[in-house]
Structure formats: structure tokens, C-alpha cells
Amino acid sequence: MMKLAAGLAAVMLSVAVAPAAHAQVYPAKPIELVCSTSPGSTAAQWCQLMAQVLSKPDVLGKPVNVVYKGAGSGNEAAVYVMSRPADGYTLLHASASFAGYMNLPTFSAKPDDFEFVVKVEKFVYALAVRSDSKYQTFGELVTAAKLAPGSIGVAGNKIGSIHHKHILSAFTAAGANVNHIPYEGSGDAIRDLLGGHVPAGLGTIGQIMPHQEAGKLRTLVVLNETRSPKMPDVPTIQELGYVYPISHQWQGIFVKKGTPEDVKVKVRAAFQKVVDGPEYAEYLKNSPHVEKAFETDGAKLKKSFDDEREGYRTFMQQNGIL
């Protein structure tokens, strides 16, 4: 009986200290960062940078491997993460586009299946054409779209993405109707714009700039409230007289619901180290499309995303996406 009692006491003690031990153990093996886009996009570059810095000995100290799941308007990435344990070893690259994806009938996971653990930054986008395009200004492109509604294709990211919303919002405000051509990532959209397969395309300022400097692309308008210091001669959409609430892309991390609280605390702390580190400072210096927007308050993040998702649903209904 004394041996049995001692055994039970040992089991109870091990259960009592399990959370503390778990907090010390994580991470004990490699982590996957599931990037919900295709290689070559600015979001993919972000995923690679995050993985590189998170893997450092003084951050998480374990390899963080990027896995690309760009198909299905976020659904492929979400389904993959849902198939994995809620243990913090599978992180989902989140973005403002998920506020649209989660309203689509093709998105099989539910919003409450995930928890928003950290927001890192926002992106600024612009609309561009090839340098040999007949459209010299955004106004000329709008005029052409009005003359032949729905005939001009504008390349962007997936259906329901923030890119899709940017394109529809800008041209709707201008009273024109264009055809959004979806890709698995903005890198693919810019590639086809460069190849002359589409007349116009949406990308980040950082994505477009090198091709503009090389004389291959011309930026028509910046979809932001203020001009970009890197493109001081390019007007904003509002300067052209088209005023509407601009929804900005952001980058962050979701985890599967049920992930232990101590693991989420470690993930948030790791990302704090990332944004405070020299690699991220260099990244901001070389990324004219990025603005820091760091947030780790779970309640604030949940409310902001829920509001964004509801607003996006209304927008999608009004524009025939739903």
C-alpha cells in the first residue's frame, strides 16, 4: 500500500509540473512555417526571413522550415495546419487576405479554428503596367476600362485576397469595371505582367521598383494614403480624386486553436526578438513597401480580425465575389 501511495504521489506530481516542463521543452524539434502563397512573392520573402531569424540559437533555437501552400485562396494552407497537432510546431503565415478567404465557400476551416498570435507589419501596394504600355497614366487605364467594361485584365493574388479587394476598390471608385486575374501569389502576377500576358498588375512597391528601375515597368498609382518616399513622383489613388477606405495587407501568424498558452507566449516572444533584431532592421531599410505594425495582444488581434472579416464579407457581397 505504501508503494502504491508513493507511486500515485509521483504521478500526481508529474501531472502538476507538466505545464512548466512543457514550457521549458518547447521547441524540442523543427518547426514548420506554412506560407500561404507561392515562392517569389514578397510574402514568401517575408516567410523566409522570419524562418531564418526564428531559427537562431537565441530566438527559438530550432530549425524553422518554410512550407509553401499557396493554392485554394488560403484553403490549402489552412487545411494543412488543421491536420497537424495544436502544439506550436506548425505556424500559419497569416495576412489580411484571410479576412476574405474565410468568407469563401471553398474555405473549409472555420475562423474559430485558429488563434491570431502576432501581427508584424503592413504592406503598401501599387498598380503597374509594362513600360511599353499605351497606358501612360491611371486615368488612361480607367478610360479604356470604361469604354470596354470587363475587358481589361489586372493581375493580382488569389480570389478574395487583399489584392483582389485593392483592384476592385480602386477601379470601382473610378467608376470602371476590370477583370481581376488571380494567381497563387503576387510574384506570379508580376511575372506575367513582365511577360506581356496581362496589361496591368498589382504588386508591392518593393516588388515593382527593381523592374521600374530596369526600365521594364511603369507605376501608375500607389494604393496608399500618402506617397511612397521611394516613388515620390507617383500619385496616390486619393490624390487622383478616388477616396475610399483603403484596406492594407498585413503579415502575421495564426496557430491552431488549442495551442498551449505557454507555447503562444514563446512564439510571441520569439517574434518580438525578430522585429528588434538587426536582420529585421535591414529588411525594413531595403523594403520600401513595409511599415512596422507589431502587435501581440490576443484580444486586440481577435477583435480587429473579426471586424475586418465582417467588413470584408459585406464588400465581397457588394462586388459579386460572394
Side-chain angles (χ1 to χ4, degrees), residues 264-276:
K264 291 184 288 185
V265 168
K266 282 201 168 186
V267 170
R268 291 179 179 124
F271 274 92
Q272 181 71 67
K273 287 184 177 181
V274 170
V275 300
D276 290 342

Side-chain angles (χ1 to χ4, degrees), residues 19-27 262 266:
H22 178 71
Q24 293 173 356
V25 168
Y26 178 86
D262 57 284
K266 282 201 168 186

Side-chain angles (χ1 to χ4, degrees), residues 39-62:
S41 68
T42 44
Q45 294 167 15
W46 180 85
C47 288
Q48 290 288 351
L49 175 67
M50 295 300 107
Q52 173 193 335
V53 184
L54 288 169
S55 300
K56 292 176 65 177
D58 61 335
V59 185
L60 285 177
K62 294 293 180 182

Side-chain angles (χ1 to χ4, degrees), residues 266-290:
K266 282 201 168 186
V267 170
R268 291 179 179 124
F271 274 92
Q272 181 71 67
K273 287 184 177 181
V274 170
V275 300
D276 290 342
E279 296 90 349
Y280 192 74
E282 185 68 16
Y283 163 73
L284 288 177
K285 181 181 176 182
N286 297 322
S287 304
H289 59 283
V290 177

Side-chain angles (χ1 to χ4, degrees), residues 187-236:
D188 297 333
I190 296 300
R191 178 202 63 205
D192 270 13
L193 174 61
L194 287 164
H197 304 296
V198 288
L202 185 80
T204 65
I205 290 174
Q207 216 168 13
I208 294 170
M209 270 187 60
H211 302 297
Q212 179 168 291
E213 291 171 351
K216 296 178 180 179
L217 293 182
R218 177 169 58 252
T219 308
L220 301 183
V221 62
V222 171
L223 303 180
N224 195 37
E225 294 82 1
T226 57
R227 290 198 181 198
S228 167
K230 297 293 184 178
M231 292 184 173
D233 298 328
V234 181
T236 68

Side-chain angles (χ1 to χ4, degrees), residues 76-134:
E76 183 188 20
V79 167
Y80 180 78
V81 173
M82 287 304 298
S83 73
R84 312 299 290 169
D87 56 7
Y89 287 98
T90 311
L91 308 177
L92 175 58
H93 156 241
S95 67
S97 293
F98 272 90
Y101 298 156
M102 288 184 176
N103 282 305
L104 293 171
T106 53
F107 196 88
S108 56
K110 298 177 182 177
D112 288 341
D113 289 335
F114 302 95
E115 295 181 64
F116 196 173
V117 293
V118 60
K119 179 190 285 186
V120 177
E121 64 198 23
K122 80 168 191 175
F123 283 5
V124 178
Y125 285 83
L127 192 73
V129 295
R130 277 172 52 111
S131 56
D132 58 0
S133 170
K134 62 182 178 181

